[in-house]
């Protein structure tokens, strides 16, 4: 199970076939944001509800951050039944802790102190956000559960089942969203949160069912690799906590972004359009994010496939960033922003510059996915955390300067800081990745 292809026979076609179902998975997930934003934009009080949905989704993502890397961990570590049991136990404990944290955060005095007093959200937006957060309480546990089993599917070259699970997720989300949209009068932000919660629960169940045959085989072989002999809760923690910190830092920057946007010019407009812009960019970013597990699975224990993996990465970066740039710098952007996303003409024009600033971002996503995967394979997960901390600090510093000293509009300042922060992280990881590749090859 450790090597899916021999050293000499991995082709670009093989990489493409392995990557495609994962790319389809991320592509389908990336459509969730624009789809739900388009529904919310067509319901009453779209500006308040789009803002509340964007804030609630960002906060929920922060809570789930520690389990996001569980897919990479499962892909790398589950080599036999013993390692499966150990990592599953670790995942269950982590997911339970995050769910409890989500419940505690939802307690009204805690929630409103954070959103109104610290972030500075208007009361209307804070109230809508609170309802959405309570609806998203199942989110972190369901995400941790399904990403654990998806990693097992990926490691065993069953990536198509990961895509099937996402189809189930989208069908569930669309069904719930349309029922609430057509048959109820609940706020738009609550429609989005309800649809997301229902979707991730269904996908988690589907992932477990689709992994069932693999688990039977893993249990039946009862083989134990040399690596998993030493796999314990302590060793898993040592391996995983830098990855968890990476996700926490990546998503933990959102409250700071929200805070600074709240202090900026045209704050409400920025809150309304930023989730629309970032969710559209995420369609192209997702294709790059899906490449991380591909690299982990295919690059080889000694990085013998690194040249072929790098070649595909360059093609992927060029295609994703190039396509987004064509859209962002042409009238096609208004078709998406107005006709698809449902923004009014003033809000669509407001979104033009942030979208153009983010146009190159997908290429950097491919690069950092490759870099992180190499470091995971070489067990240098702490380096990934330092790189993410570099990005975190860069975003906050640039955002503060742009708003406090240059008085930029919030959405513009945020997108500039995202780009500069990612450039800083990619630059920091570059040298360690080069060294890792030279040592292994």
């Amino acid at each position: 199970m450790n090597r899916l292809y021999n050293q000499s026979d991995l082709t670009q076609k093989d990489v493409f076939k392995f990557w495609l179902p994962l790319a389809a998975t991320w592509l389908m997930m990336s459509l969730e944001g624009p789809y739900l934003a388009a529904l919310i934009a067509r319901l009453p009080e779209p500006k308040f509800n789009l803002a509340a949905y964007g804030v609630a989704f960002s906060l929920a993502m922060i809570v789930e951050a520690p389990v996001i890397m569980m897919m990479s961990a499962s892909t790398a570590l589950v080599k036999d039944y013993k390692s499966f049991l150990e990592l599953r136990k670790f995942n269950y404990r982590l997911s339970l802790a995050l769910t409890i944290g989500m419940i505690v955060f939802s307690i009204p005095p805690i929630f409103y102190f954070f959103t109104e007093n610290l972030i500075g959200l208007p009361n209307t937006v804070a109230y809508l956000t609170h309802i959405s957060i309570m609806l998203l309480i199942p989110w972190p546990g369901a995400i941790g559960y399904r990403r654990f089993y998806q990693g097992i599917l990926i490691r065993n070259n069953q990536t198509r089942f990961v895509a099937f699970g996402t189809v189930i997720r989208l069908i569930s989300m669309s069904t719930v969203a349309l029922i609430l949209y057509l048959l109820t009068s609940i706020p738009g932000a609550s429609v989005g949160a309800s649809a997301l919660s229902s979707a991730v629960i269904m996908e988690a169940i589907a992932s477990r069912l689709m992994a069932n045959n693999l688990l039977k085989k893993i249990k039946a072989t009862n083989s134990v690799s040399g690596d998993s002999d030493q796999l314990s809760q302590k060793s898993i923690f040592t391996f995983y906590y830098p990855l968890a910190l990476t996700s926490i830092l990546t998503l933990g920057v959102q409250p700071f972004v929200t805070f600074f946007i709240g202090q900026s010019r045209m704050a409400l407009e920025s809150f309304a359009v930023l989730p629309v812009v970032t969710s559209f960019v995420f369609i192209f970013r997702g294709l790059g994010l899906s490449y991380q597990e591909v690299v982990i699975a295919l690059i080889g224990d000694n990085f013998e496939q690194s040249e072929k993996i790098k070649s595909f990465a360059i093609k992927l970066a060029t295609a994703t960033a190039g396509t987004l740039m064509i859209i962002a710098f042409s009238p096609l952007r208004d078709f998406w922003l107005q006709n698809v996303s449902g923004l009014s003409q003033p809000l669509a024009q407001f979104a033009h510059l942030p979208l153009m600033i983010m146009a190159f971002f997908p290429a950097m996503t491919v690069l950092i996915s490759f870099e992180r995967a190499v470091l995971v394979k070489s067990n240098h997960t702490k380096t990934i955390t330092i790189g993410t901390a570099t990005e975190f600090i860069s975003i906050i510093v640039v955002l503060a300067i742009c708003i406090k000293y240059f008085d930029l509009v919030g959405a513009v300042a945020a997108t500039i800081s995202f780009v500069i922060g990612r450039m800083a992280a990619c630059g920091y990881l570059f040298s360690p990745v080069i060294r890792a590749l030279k040592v292994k090859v």
Side-chain angles (χ1 to χ4, degrees):
M1 286 188 288
N2 288 344
R3 184 169 295 172
L4 300 174
Y5 297 93
N6 294 325
Q7 181 172 349
S8 60
D9 65 2
L10 183 66
T11 65
Q12 295 293 283
K13 183 179 179 180
D14 292 327
V15 179
F16 178 79
K17 288 170 64 177
F18 190 92
W19 165 79
L20 186 59
L22 298 178
T25 296
W26 280 94
L27 181 61
M28 288 185 284
M29 287 194 299
S30 67
L31 293 175
E32 288 178 345
Y35 174 78
L36 292 176
L39 285 183
I40 295 170
R42 289 167 171 82
L43 287 167
E45 299 184 323
K47 185 182 293 187
F48 292 114
N49 278 279
L50 280 171
Y53 170 74
V55 174
F57 183 73
S58 297
L59 293 173
M61 289 289 287
I62 294 167
V63 176
E64 71 144 320
V67 295
I68 286 180
M69 289 291 192
M70 188 55 64
M71 184 189 293
S72 294
S74 183
T75 303
L77 298 180
V78 178
K79 302 177 180 181
D80 51 48
Y81 193 57
K82 180 181 182 297
S83 57
F84 163 77
L85 292 176
E86 287 294 329
L87 188 59
R88 185 180 68 174
K89 183 192 299 184
F90 181 86
N91 183 43
Y92 282 177
R93 291 173 175 175
L94 180 58
S95 297
L96 177 61
L98 296 178
T99 300
I100 293 172
M102 192 81 162
I103 293 171
V104 171
F105 180 68
S106 299
I107 297 172
I110 298 174
F111 179 84
Y112 284 103
F113 173 78
F114 183 83
T115 55
E116 291 187 346
N117 295 358
L118 295 184
I119 297 179
L121 293 180
N123 180 260
T124 302
V125 176
Y127 172 75
L128 293 169
T129 304
H130 188 214
I131 297 174
S132 300
I133 283 291
M134 289 189 289
L135 291 168
L136 288 168
I137 285 174
W139 176 275
I143 294 293
Y145 188 86
R146 63 102 170 167
R147 290 183 77 83
F148 170 71
Y149 286 104
Q150 285 177 333
I152 296 173
L153 291 168
I154 292 168
R155 181 176 181 86
N156 290 274
N157 199 17
Q158 302 292 320
T159 55
R160 67 185 186 280
F161 287 126
V162 179
F164 293 162
T166 307
V167 171
I168 293 171
R169 170 175 172 163
L170 284 180
I171 292 173
S172 303
M173 182 202 71
S174 300
T175 301
V176 172
L178 286 174
I179 289 173
L180 296 177
Y181 175 78
L182 296 172
L183 302 180
T184 74
S185 58
I186 67 173
S190 298
V191 170
S194 300
L196 284 178
S197 277
S198 303
V200 296
I201 291 171
M202 292 303 297
E203 187 185 19
I205 295 171
S207 297
R208 173 60 181 85
L209 292 175
M210 288 185 290
N212 193 49
N213 288 335
L214 279 176
L215 297 180
K216 289 179 181 178
K217 292 179 180 178
I218 293 172
K219 186 174 182 179
T221 57
N222 200 29
S223 63
V224 181
S225 68
D227 291 337
S228 67
D229 273 335
Q230 310 191 2
L231 196 63
S232 63
Q233 294 299 293
K234 182 178 179 180
S235 63
I236 292 172
F237 178 80
T238 302
F239 175 88
Y240 191 77
Y241 87 83
L243 299 179
L245 286 176
T246 295
S247 297
I248 291 170
L249 289 171
T250 299
L251 298 174
V253 76
Q254 290 300 325
F256 294 93
V257 173
T258 301
F259 170 78
F260 280 111
I261 289 177
Q263 315 302 312
S264 71
R265 290 192 296 115
M266 305 185 78
L268 189 55
E269 290 82 358
S270 294
F271 281 131
V273 304
L274 202 56
V276 175
V277 170
T278 54
S279 63
F280 180 54
V281 174
F282 189 77
I283 294 174
F284 301 90
R285 285 183 56 218
L287 299 176
L289 289 169
S290 65
Y291 201 57
Q292 181 165 316
E293 278 67 41
V294 176
V295 179
I296 292 172
L298 298 185
I299 200 169
D301 292 337
N302 294 308
F303 299 146
E304 58 268 21
Q305 308 285 11
S306 59
E307 291 302 320
K308 296 171 184 177
I309 295 296
K310 282 191 290 184
S311 177
F312 190 88
I314 292 170
K315 296 170 185 175
L316 180 59
T318 302
T320 53
T323 303
L324 181 56
M325 291 175 72
I326 290 172
I327 296 171
F329 288 88
S330 75
L332 290 172
R333 64 193 177 195
D334 286 320
F335 173 78
W336 180 269
L337 294 171
Q338 293 181 241
N339 295 8
V340 178
S341 298
L343 293 182
S344 63
Q345 184 178 5
L347 284 178
Q349 291 179 341
F350 186 82
H352 284 177
L353 183 55
L355 181 58
M356 288 189 286
I357 292 170
M358 293 287 286
F360 189 68
F361 207 87
M364 292 187 289
T365 301
V366 176
L367 174 58
I368 204 164
S369 293
F370 177 85
E371 292 175 327
R372 287 173 175 173
V374 169
L375 293 169
V376 168
K377 286 289 288 188
S378 58
N379 204 22
H380 292 155
T381 52
K382 291 182 181 179
T383 306
I384 300 174
T385 305
I386 298 173
T388 306
T390 302
E391 181 172 1
F392 181 96
I393 294 170
S394 299
I395 289 173
I396 294 175
V397 170
V398 172
L399 187 58
I401 291 173
C402 287
I403 290 176
K404 297 298 182 181
Y405 294 97
F406 292 99
D407 196 28
L408 294 182
V409 169
V412 174
T415 48
I416 290 174
S417 68
F418 291 155
V419 171
I420 294 177
R422 179 53 55 86
M423 291 173 64
C426 289
Y428 174 81
L429 294 179
F430 189 79
S431 293
V433 168
I434 295 298
R435 288 197 298 270
L437 290 172
K438 287 181 178 179
V439 168
K440 285 282 186 175
V441 173

